[in-house]
Structures are given as C-alpha cells and as structure tokens.
Amino acid sequence: MKSSQFTELPGRLVAVEGLDGSGKSTQLYLLKRWLELRGLKVFFTEWNSSVIVKKATSKGKKRHLLTPTTFSLIHAADFADRYERQILPLLKAGYLVLCDRYIYTAFARDAVRGCPRTWLHNLYGFARRPDLTLFFDTPLPVALTRILAGRPQLKYHEAGMDLGLSADLHESFRLFQERIYHEYLAMRDERGFVTIDGSATIEAQQQSVRDLVSGAFDLPSYRWKSMG
Amino acid sequence: MKFYGEGLPGVDATHLAGKLIVIEGADGSGRSTQIEILKDYLEGRGHATVDVGLRRSTLVSEELQEAKQGNVLGEITRSLFYATDFADQLENRIIPALRAGFIGLADRYIYTLMARDIVRGADRDWVRSLYGLALVPDLLIYLRVSPSQLVERNFRKNATLDYWEAGMDLGLSRDIFDSFIRYQRLIQKEFTLMQQEYGFNAVNGNRSIRSVAGEITARVEGLLGI
C-alpha cells in the first residue's frame, strides 16, 4: 500500500486548498485551460466527486446519519476511490493531475469535527504528497460574502450544522469556516503550502499560479507524444 | 471500557454498563451456531443481548454489495467501506446498547477486517490505526478450525465455496478448492500474529458443537462472574 508513495513518478500532482469562496476553483480551472491549450496531458479531479461513493455520501447526509467518524471515513473512501482509479494511475502515465482540494481539506474539516489528528494523518497515509500545494488565503469576510451572495441556501453539513456551533445557518457557517481557516494556517508551514493572496485580482492570482507551475515543472515534457 | 486507539470523537467509553463479547472465525467455523447458543443461554438467565455483525449497516450497504459482485473497487477503497460499515454499527448500535446495559454479541469484529486487508497487501500499521476507533471487547473468542474442516463444513452447508472466503480475488490459484485452503491458511497466520496483541481466547473449533459451546459458556461465566 505504501510502496508507490515515495517512488518518483513521471506525472506531477498539483493541489489547491482554501476556504469555500476563496477563489481556488476558478484559479484551478484557469490553470487547467492554460495547460490544455498548450497541448499538455492534464487531468482534473475534485473533492467528493467519486461516482461510487456519491450515493452513500448523499444518503448519509440527507438522513443526518453521519457522525464525525463515518463522515470522515466516507470522504476518505471517496478520495481513495479517485486516488486508486485515477490520480495514481494518471501520475504513472505522466499526467499533470490537478486536484481541487486534497487530503488537507479532510485534515482541516475532520479535525474541526473532533477526529483525532494522528488518526486522520494515518487514514490518508496512502496518499502522495503533492508536488505543489497552493493555499488560497482569502480573508474570511471576503470568502463568506462570496459564498453567501452566490448560494444563499447553505446545506446542513456545508454550514457545519452538525457541530452544533449555532442554531443559525449563516452564523454556524461563519464559525465553522473560521475554525477551518485556523486549521489551514496551522498546517501551512509543516505541509509546505505555497500561499496565494486570494484578495488580489483574478488575473494577478492566475499570473502567480502560472509562474509557480512553470517554475516548478518542465512543462514541455508533459505534451502528448502523438502531438509531437 | 476503552478503545484500542484514540476512539470516537464525542464518545466517552468509561461509563458503558454492558459487556461486549466477540466471536471470530472463518465461515464454517461454527460462529453463528455458537452465537445462537450463547444468546439462548444469556437470555435464559435474564441478560438482554444485541446481535451485531459485519456488513449490516445501511449506510454503505449498496456499495458493499456492489463491491462483492465485482472488482470495481480498489483495495483501499474497499477497506474504507468496510471500516465505514463497522464504525456506523459501533456508534449507532453497539455503543447505545452497551450504554443501556445490554450484552453485545458480535459475529466477527475488526480482526476479520484487519486480516482480510493485510493479506491483500494493506500496511499493518495503517490498518491498526484505522481500527483504533474500535472498543476493546470484554471477551474475544476465536474459533480455530483447520482449513480442511472448513471446506467440509462449507460444502455440507452450501455445496459450494464462497468466492471471497476462498480469496479468489487474490489470484492464489485458479482452482477454488486450492485457493480456499491457501487463503484460509494466510488468514489463520494473521490471526496467530494478532493473538498476542489482542488477547484472543483461541477455542479449538474442530470439536462437537456441544463441547465448543461448553468452553465458550465457561469463559462467559468467568466474565460475568456467574
């Protein structure tokens, strides 16, 4: 299980992390477009999107059956499914794999829900460390405004209502996000996150992202062979 | 009671009034029969019991069913589904019953799950930490039955060997009989390795139902101070 974790693979793994509304998905999308337009092998995957696990997740969430432990395990299963079937094989096949949220999302959210940190780190112990982890550091009020303006109807778990922080959906969301933000800050140095200023313009952020990616990787080597 | 590892967030295990009894063993080891006998015995003496087993939670039941039918899931993903199923039952069934003073009778527990994962290549420490969420049982019985006896009993009961109990997914042999024997030996080896660490009471399950039941009852009496 751990055998492939530290061996050098031809592909490269890029992860973006940050609060909901931090702008990370927009930035990762623009990065993906840029890489694709250059004719590179790119694969994009996002948190909580495995087809196999989706049913279980939505069933559990709808009926509020989930405890912090089962919530954590189901998301780990979702990640493992994408990891075993897509992320790892594609890294072996020499792709640039772009992950919208990675294991640090679980570390932050599940720790806030009370799961022991060492247990969480072991749980995701099979996952490779990304070659580049971008942390979109957006001031909390900005992130909150973006989310609340775009999606006034927050979902139960999204707002962290299961934590019982507040009976008010918006207030619960604010308190939950605040705690997650602190988890991210605590991980930032130890996990080698590269911070992007999420309050800069979209264009300026994307320029930093592209500079970082072209500085970190030899991009022309990820071209499709057939495209010469 | 206590947890093997860091346990479950928000759950205090120190005031659980009930007892947890686990019976482990392969298919055909006589587990279910012995649990029935034990249940009658305990209820006859006025103890309330609750049955638990693997793959009984509704949370991921469809996913586990699909996993059994094909090779759609990777090894880690499948491990995590089983762990989810276990955790769900532990939190929503076992612990509430123990809190209410019931005796939990578990038809298999984490050891089967761990052994299955390990023989399929999972890292021992990973699996051990994963199941650190489990409660330490008050009594742990392991019905040890030789692979050849297991074959005989499985054939007598179902006239066939189960694909997964034969470990056919491991590719040990294309012959199901051969695979069954080899797979059960691997599992038994893991159980032997776990025996010390987890304090199994190994019971020789090759004997008659009655004498096995006698030995189990004696151990349960010891536990309950009867």
Side-chain angles (χ1 to χ4, degrees), chain A residues 59 67 84 118-119 122-123, chain B residues 6 58 76-77 91 126 129:
Chain A
K59 181 159 60 170
T67 64
E84 292 187 289
T118 48
W119 182 79
N122 175 78
L123 180 62
Chain B
E6 291 169 273
T58 52
I76 302 171
T77 312
E91 288 190 88
W126 183 76
S129 162

Side-chain angles (χ1 to χ4, degrees), chain A residues 172-190:
Chain A
S172 169
F173 182 70
R174 197 186 66 75
L175 292 167
F176 183 47
Q177 293 298 312
E178 191 172 27
R179 290 181 183 201
I180 289 174
Y181 183 66
H182 288 296
E183 289 293 328
Y184 273 131
L185 292 186
M187 278 188 281
R188 175 156 63 174
D189 294 336
E190 186 194 340

Side-chain angles (χ1 to χ4, degrees), chain B residues 26-31 34 142-153 156 188 202-213 215-216:
Chain B
D27 274 6
S29 63
R31 268 180 2 254
Q34 292 300 334
Y142 171 47
L143 293 175
R144 202 183 164 98
V145 174
S146 67
S148 57
Q149 269 277 348
L150 290 176
V151 169
E152 204 180 297
R153 292 186 191 176
R156 199 187 300 163
Q188 290 197 347
V203 170
N204 178 359
N206 292 304
R207 298 169 300 156
S208 71
I209 292 175
R210 185 194 282 256
S211 49
V212 172
E215 190 172 339
I216 293 176

